[in-house]
Amino acid sequence: MHKQIFLSVIGLFAINSLSAQWTPKNTEWYAPVPPVVKPAAAPGQPPSDAVVLFDGKDLSKWETLKGEEPKWTVEKGEMTVVPGTGEIRTKEYFGDCQLHIEFKSPKPGEYSGQMRGNSGVFLQSIYELQVLDADDNPTYVNGMVGSIYKQSAPLANAYTRNGAWQVYDVYWKAPKFGTGGKLEEPAMITVVLNGVVVQNNYVLQGGTEYIGLPDYKAHGRMPLMLQDHGTAVVFRNIWIRNL
Ligand code: MG
């Protein structure tokens, strides 16, 4: 113990004497120069290098899980889930990314809990950030809006009200797999809902399972997927930046 303290003191002394010889320039660098990204004129709109996945006009960037044209509707700049027509995914594949997506829950009708305004943003088609109406709609907290489904409840309920647009900004670090598909780095996510952090660098335990425990299966870049959970959830202004 005493030896350790002695060595620490010697170490600090060595670092201090070394730092004393440094100039400010020793810790400044000039290359590589970060690329210029022109921010959008209005907050929430895509910056210059974003891949715009839905600009309100059509679903040309999307397909069904069978690779067919999606049957979700597009009207007035919004896309709406047509219940029973299935999930849709991007034609393009993504890894680490920044994602912006806005959604609106349909009128509740007689539905409650997981049946009310359920959809999902599936990062890399595997990891679900829940989309759900949280307007006076109790459910299990690790399945509410802002949750990483059945893994992590949100830090706060930042949902506003049924019928109002909700805004997700997502920062995604894809899992990394090594030889033989061995997990080297788990996925990590930060989620901001309506300007409020609801997931703060949460480290995922694997895919988000409905039944059973999460687990990782090796994969590379994957499409972004949106869920058809039987309710007519509406989306708009979807863009993504590769990181
Ligand atoms: Mg869902």
Side-chain angles (χ1 to χ4, degrees), residues 87 114 117-122 128-132 143 149 227-229:
E87 273 71 34
Q114 291 289 310
N118 194 334
S119 181
V121 177
F122 279 71
E128 183 182 12
L129 164 61
Q130 178 68 299
V131 168
L132 199 74
Y149 188 68
Q227 186 183 40
D228 168 11
H229 197 283

